[in-house]
């Protein structure tokens, strides 16, 4: 891999995002992540080092004007699978009650290629939701390492628009009143679009009727959205990626977000 600029490690978050508490993963430091060995390539499979993915994304974020506020790294399946969250911001963005996050994943067991996804993390509860994954490694083919910088730069270049779209979405969710009957209808539609499973319905309804956090007592789409994402804490990150995207699509349609 080509030489890349050094990036000082970001301070760890005050709390580990809720999603990672339930995925059975091992939380590791940046130094521990760097020590994870990368398997030898085969004739058709060329794995990327977890550390190379993280470092390249960091470099591209900083080059593009983002600030990295915190990060958390996790490993599972004998350290073969990596999932990380980088909390980012831009200097001119107003302070909010949620953060922009970049989700990263990589595998050394041929489970999935390296990828990056935009998302949000709510401060009061660490609820996470992701949308729009971009693959960065072309399924770990021969030139994956060589192309990583180019692919990462292109993906990071799109993040600004994606994050501002997330801000626009959440603003619309906050402004949309939701009655109980509409909430119940959205729960059923969430099953149809696979944002939740049937077994999670009671949990979502409990969070809607008696929110764990006072901030979500307002009867709005944002409160209901967080009832769903509170339940998503109990699934692993790889399940949370498609479910978050489906959930955003459902609420966009309900709130008229184009």
């Amino acid at each position: 891999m080509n030489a890349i600029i050094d990036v000082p490690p970001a301070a760890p978050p005050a709390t580990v995002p809720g999603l990672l508490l339930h995925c059975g993963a091992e939380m590791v430091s940046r130094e521990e992540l760097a020590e994870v060995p990368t398997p030898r390539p085969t004739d058709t499979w060329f794995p990327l080092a977890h550390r190379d993915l993280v470092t390249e994304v960091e470099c591209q974020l900083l080059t593009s004007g983002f600030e990295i506020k915190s990060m958390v790294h996790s490993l599972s399946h004998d350290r073969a699978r990596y999932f990380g969250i980088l909390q980012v911001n831009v200097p001119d963005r107003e302070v909010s009650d949620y953060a922009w996050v970049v989700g990263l994943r990589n595998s050394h067991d041929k489970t999935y290629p390296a990828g990056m996804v935009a998302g949000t993390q709510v401060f009061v509860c660490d609820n996470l939701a992701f949308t729009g994954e971009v693959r960065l490694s072309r399924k770990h083919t021969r030139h994956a390492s060589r192309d990583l910088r180019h692919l990462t730069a292109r993906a990071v270049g799109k993040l600004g628009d994606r994050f501002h779209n997330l801000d626009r979405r959440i603003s619309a969710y906050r402004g949309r009143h939701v009655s109980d009957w509409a909430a119940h209808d959205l729960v059923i539609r969430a099953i149809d679009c696979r944002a939740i499973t049937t077994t999670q319905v009671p949990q979502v309804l409990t969070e809607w009727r008696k929110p764990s956090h006072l901030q979500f007592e307002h009867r709005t789409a944002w409160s209901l959205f967080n009832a769903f994402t509170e339940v998503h804490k109990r699934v692993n990150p790889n399940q949370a990626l498609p479910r978050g995207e489906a959930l955003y699509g459902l609420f966009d349609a309900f709130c008229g977000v184009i």
Side-chain angles (χ1 to χ4, degrees), residues 3 13 30 49 52 58 79 82 97 132 145 196 216 225:
R30 180 65 181 279
D52 289 348
E58 286 179 326
R79 300 196 161 196
Y82 165 75
D97 57 356
S145 182
I196 59 169
F216 303 131
F225 186 89

Side-chain angles (χ1 to χ4, degrees), residues 104-125:
L104 298 177
R105 70 174 181 172
N106 190 42
S107 74
H108 288 166
D109 59 2
K110 304 182 183 181
T111 307
Y112 43 76
M116 182 175 74
V117 64
T120 56
Q121 177 185 347
V122 181
F123 290 128
V124 68
C125 54

Side-chain angles (χ1 to χ4, degrees), residues 5-238:
I5 60 174
D6 291 330
V7 180
T15 58
V16 175
L19 176 65
L20 297 182
L21 291 173
H22 297 274
C23 71
E26 171 192 9
M27 301 301 124
V28 297
S29 68
R30 180 65 181 279
E31 292 73 22
E32 290 174 298
L33 186 68
E35 294 173 358
V36 176
T38 304
R40 295 178 63 86
T42 67
D43 291 340
T44 58
W45 179 64
F46 297 80
L48 286 170
H50 299 327
R51 61 181 178 273
D52 289 348
L53 171 65
V54 174
T55 302
E56 190 61 59
V57 170
E58 286 179 326
C59 291
Q60 295 296 341
L61 286 169
L62 295 175
T63 300
S64 298
F66 287 97
E67 301 170 339
I68 301 175
K69 297 296 187 181
S70 65
M71 64 180 69
V72 61
H73 307 287
S74 68
L75 296 167
S76 64
H77 297 79
D78 293 325
R79 300 196 161 196
R81 299 181 194 176
Y82 165 75
F83 192 87
I85 296 172
L86 284 68
Q87 188 186 111
V88 303
N89 209 344
V90 289
D92 59 346
R93 181 168 176 257
E94 293 183 5
V95 176
S96 182
D97 57 356
Y98 66 91
W100 291 344
V101 295
V102 176
L104 298 177
R105 70 174 181 172
N106 190 42
S107 74
H108 288 166
D109 59 2
K110 304 182 183 181
T111 307
Y112 43 76
M116 182 175 74
V117 64
T120 56
Q121 177 185 347
V122 181
F123 290 128
V124 68
C125 54
D126 278 330
N127 285 359
L128 291 161
F130 299 104
T131 183
E133 183 177 18
V134 178
R135 290 185 175 183
L136 300 176
S137 64
R138 297 179 181 173
K139 297 186 179 181
H140 292 147
T141 52
R142 181 177 298 275
H143 300 299
S145 182
R146 182 200 67 185
D147 295 340
L148 180 60
R149 175 168 297 180
H150 168 70
L151 294 171
T152 302
R154 186 171 63 183
V156 170
K158 299 176 182 178
L159 277 179
D161 287 341
R162 292 192 177 188
F163 281 137
H164 288 298
N165 285 338
L166 284 173
D167 285 349
R168 185 167 57 89
R169 283 167 150 172
I170 291 172
S171 178
Y173 297 176
R174 291 184 195 276
R176 181 64 188 269
H177 174 76
V178 179
S179 62
D180 276 342
W181 68 263
H184 294 169
D185 179 67
L186 282 169
V187 170
I188 298 303
R189 288 164 62 188
I191 298 173
D192 292 339
C193 71
R194 299 184 179 180
I196 59 169
T197 64
T198 55
T199 59
Q200 292 172 320
V201 168
Q203 302 164 40
V204 173
L205 291 177
T206 296
E207 279 296 326
W208 168 249
R209 293 166 179 166
K210 295 182 179 180
S212 298
H213 307 279
L214 295 177
Q215 289 84 345
F216 303 131
E217 288 187 341
H218 302 290
R219 303 293 78 185
T220 66
W222 179 235
S223 296
L224 181 57
F225 186 89
N226 276 278
F228 283 99
T229 53
E230 183 72 24
V231 171
H232 281 177
K233 289 178 180 179
R234 300 173 179 86
V235 303
N236 69 52
N238 295 308

